[in-house]
Amino acid sequence: MESVNEVQKGASNEQKILEAAKKVFLRDGLHGSRMETIAKEAGVTKALLHYYFRSKEKLFAVIFEEVKGGMLPRLESVFGSDLPVFEKIERFVESYIDLLIENPYIPLFLVNEVNKDPEKFFETTQIAARIQQFVPHFVQQILEEQEKGNLNSIHPFHLIINVMSLCIFPFLGKPMFQKVAGMTDEQYKLLLQERKKEVAAFVMRAIKIPD
Amino acid sequence: MESVNEVQKGASNEQKILEAAKKVFLRDGLHGSRMETIAKEAGVTKALLHYYFRSKEKLFAVIFEEVKGGMLPRLESVFGSDLPVFEKIERFVESYIDLLIENPYIPLFLVNEVNKDPEKFFETTQIAARIQQFVPHFVQQILEEQEKGNLNSIHPFHLIINVMSLCIFPFLGKPMFQKVAGMTDEQYKLLLQERKKEVAAFVMRAIKIPD
DNA sequence: GTCTATATATGGATAGAC
DNA sequence: GTCTATCCATATATAGAC
């Protein structure tokens, strides 16, 4: 049974279209998505999509910006804070995995877009600029802890890449892991929940030097 | 400057098409790829693609099977062996990162395909069956080391997911990490080389209990 | 604003000459 | 085997009625 027109009855058609577009674009990608599919999902006709957004590209761009932008506040609230490194990592892991459990299609969507056209990905929203604003301070914190002897000598970039990898990849590899482990959707979701503690602990064991 | 017809002069047209198709499909995905693009890349016309492979779907299937199949021997040679757990992890990391440095488009391609249609992904080549053949033994090994007190109490699935994530995600996130860190392609490739030691060491610190 | 009907563009697939 | 020309299906986009 196909789900059609699942959006809130109260919303305006423009809103319905945006929600439908988000769902379809995230699931099927730009090329895989059809205007007709989005229209059906929103409970309107194709013509209306063009009325509001003029072209498929334009509609896609709106969703693209929204998804890109939506990731940043969480990053900023954790890394922009003046928490100690270990707290930051723990909070990031918890916060990010939670976000992705709620929006499991985001990783594949973003990974595709950033690979398709990195320039385009970074130009608007100054996403790179905003990230670069807190990374140096985080790197600095790492170096300080290393000097104090609380953190082993891992290169900060590797540490950052490791933490991101451990958080995000399980969502990209879900069908694979799930199949091999013979898990149901429910069970895999539970495993992802566990990872909030598991990943944090794993990373801490790998980098923390006990007093 | 676009690169057209870069393939070996000696190869047959069928071979040229296969190579071109691999390059384009891996880069642009099934929907993003155009028969015309592949033809140009191979230095022939579209008609010839249909002559040899009949349809786009069929051509894609050939590439798909090749890439899928190519990953398995490496997995099997490491995990099918009777090395101890820690060796297996170290060898896997080294072997897999090396493979991906040579073929950096594979992760994005496979992640897309497995997410698009998990059933289709696993049905042919019995890829799941072949993986499931050595996973239980590996899990068993982990449990044994844990009983012996050499390995901490991490759940084997988490450990496997962690290792895979640390190996693969840096290739998917390359444009992002590279941009944020302000690295050139050359520098990022070096960083990936470093990861062969780095990831192995990171994992060992996280799971190994010293005697 | 929203629809139906239609125009236009794209890209996969085939026919037929060489 | 390989090409050119063409067909046809699909999908985006627009026109015009309501």
Side-chain angles (χ1 to χ4, degrees):
Chain A
M1 194 58 181
E2 281 300 307
S3 67
V4 172
N5 196 5
E6 285 198 338
V7 291
Q8 303 90 304
K9 293 283 194 275
S12 70
N13 276 338
E14 187 172 5
Q15 262 309 314
K16 286 185 196 166
I17 291 169
L18 281 170
E19 285 167 41
K22 184 169 178 178
K23 175 170 174 178
V24 174
F25 278 138
L26 261 65
R27 190 188 58 205
D28 301 340
L30 171 58
H31 295 296
S33 299
R34 298 287 162 252
M35 294 296 264
E36 180 62 39
T37 312
I38 296 169
K40 272 251 185 66
E41 182 72 32
V44 299
T45 60
K46 290 186 298 179
L48 210 57
L49 309 201
H50 287 98
Y51 172 76
Y52 281 114
F53 301 97
R54 209 174 155 78
S55 76
K56 185 186 180 182
E57 298 288 334
K58 289 233 176 32
L59 176 55
F60 182 80
V62 174
I63 304 301
F64 186 28
E65 290 306 317
E66 186 195 323
V67 173
K68 262 197 300 187
M71 307 296 284
L72 279 168
R74 235 168 247 245
L75 279 175
E76 283 167 343
S77 90
V78 173
F79 288 100
S81 73
D82 49 5
L83 291 166
V85 234
F86 297 116
E87 312 294 292
K88 277 189 181 173
I89 293 174
E90 276 166 356
R91 296 231 189 154
F92 168 79
V93 168
E94 172 136 8
S95 161
Y96 237 65
I97 292 180
D98 260 336
L99 171 67
L100 297 183
I101 288 175
E102 293 305 308
N103 307 275
Y105 284 114
I106 287 182
L108 187 59
F109 178 77
L110 288 183
V111 154
N112 269 310
E113 290 312 311
V114 74
N115 277 282
K116 193 178 304 167
D117 190 345
E119 292 312 312
K120 189 187 157 212
F121 186 89
F122 288 111
E123 70 191 7
T124 45
T125 330
Q126 289 99 22
I127 199 169
R130 285 171 69 182
I131 292 174
Q132 282 164 342
Q133 204 159 6
F134 53 71
V135 165
H137 179 238
F138 184 60
V139 169
Q140 186 54 37
Q141 281 187 296
I142 293 171
L143 297 177
E144 280 168 18
E145 293 296 330
Q146 287 175 331
E147 275 181 26
K148 281 192 250 168
N150 301 325
L151 203 161
N152 71 21
S153 67
I154 186 171
H155 189 295
F157 286 172
H158 282 297
L159 177 52
I160 292 171
I161 292 176
N162 289 354
V163 172
M164 301 279 287
S165 299
L166 291 167
C167 290
I168 301 175
F169 189 74
F171 292 89
L172 297 168
K174 178 189 176 239
M176 189 175 57
F177 294 132
Q178 201 177 320
K179 175 79 176 187
V180 170
M183 288 178 165
T184 64
D185 282 0
E186 224 21 75
Q187 289 171 321
Y188 197 77
K189 195 171 172 185
L190 235 73
L191 179 140
L192 291 170
Q193 290 287 359
E194 280 173 28
R195 287 187 70 78
K196 284 187 282 182
K197 298 293 173 206
E198 185 60 53
V199 168
F202 188 85
V203 172
M204 290 309 144
R205 290 198 301 271
I207 65 171
K208 210 168 184 175
I209 298 173
D211 310 308
Chain B
M1 194 59 182
E2 281 298 309
S3 67
V4 172
N5 197 7
E6 285 197 337
V7 290
Q8 302 92 301
K9 291 284 195 275
S12 69
N13 276 339
E14 186 173 5
Q15 262 309 314
K16 286 186 197 165
I17 291 170
L18 281 171
E19 285 167 40
K22 185 170 178 177
K23 176 171 174 177
V24 174
F25 278 138
L26 262 64
R27 190 190 57 205
D28 300 341
L30 172 58
H31 293 299
S33 299
R34 300 285 161 254
M35 294 296 267
E36 180 62 42
T37 311
I38 296 169
K40 271 250 185 67
E41 181 72 32
V44 299
T45 61
K46 286 190 301 178
L48 209 57
L49 308 201
H50 287 100
Y51 173 76
Y52 282 114
F53 300 97
R54 219 180 143 74
S55 77
K56 185 186 181 183
E57 299 288 335
K58 289 234 175 35
L59 176 54
F60 182 79
V62 174
I63 305 301
F64 187 28
E65 289 307 315
E66 186 195 324
V67 173
K68 260 197 301 188
M71 308 294 285
L72 278 169
R74 233 168 250 245
L75 278 173
E76 284 167 342
S77 89
V78 174
F79 287 100
S81 73
D82 48 6
L83 290 166
V85 234
F86 297 116
E87 311 294 290
K88 277 189 181 174
I89 293 174
E90 277 166 356
R91 297 232 187 153
F92 167 78
V93 168
E94 173 136 7
S95 160
Y96 237 65
I97 292 179
D98 261 335
L99 171 67
L100 298 182
I101 288 174
E102 293 304 308
N103 306 275
Y105 284 114
I106 287 182
L108 187 58
F109 178 76
L110 288 183
V111 155
N112 270 311
E113 290 312 311
V114 74
N115 276 283
K116 194 179 304 165
D117 190 344
E119 292 313 313
K120 188 187 158 211
F121 186 89
F122 288 112
E123 73 192 5
T124 44
T125 329
Q126 290 100 21
I127 199 170
R130 284 171 71 182
I131 291 174
Q132 282 164 344
Q133 205 159 5
F134 52 71
V135 165
H137 179 237
F138 184 61
V139 168
Q140 187 54 37
Q141 282 187 295
I142 292 171
L143 296 177
E144 281 168 18
E145 292 296 330
Q146 287 175 332
E147 274 182 27
K148 281 192 251 166
N150 300 325
L151 204 162
N152 70 23
S153 67
I154 187 172
H155 189 294
F157 286 170
H158 281 298
L159 176 53
I160 292 171
I161 292 176
N162 289 354
V163 172
M164 301 279 287
S165 299
L166 292 167
C167 290
I168 302 175
F169 189 73
F171 292 89
L172 297 167
K174 178 190 175 238
M176 189 175 57
F177 294 132
Q178 201 177 320
K179 175 78 175 187
V180 169
M183 288 179 165
T184 64
D185 282 359
E186 227 17 79
Q187 288 171 322
Y188 197 78
K189 196 172 172 183
L190 236 73
L191 179 139
L192 290 170
Q193 291 285 359
E194 280 173 28
R195 287 188 69 79
K196 284 186 282 182
K197 298 292 173 205
E198 185 59 54
V199 168
F202 188 85
V203 172
M204 291 309 145
R205 289 199 301 270
I207 64 170
K208 211 169 182 175
I209 299 173
D211 310 309

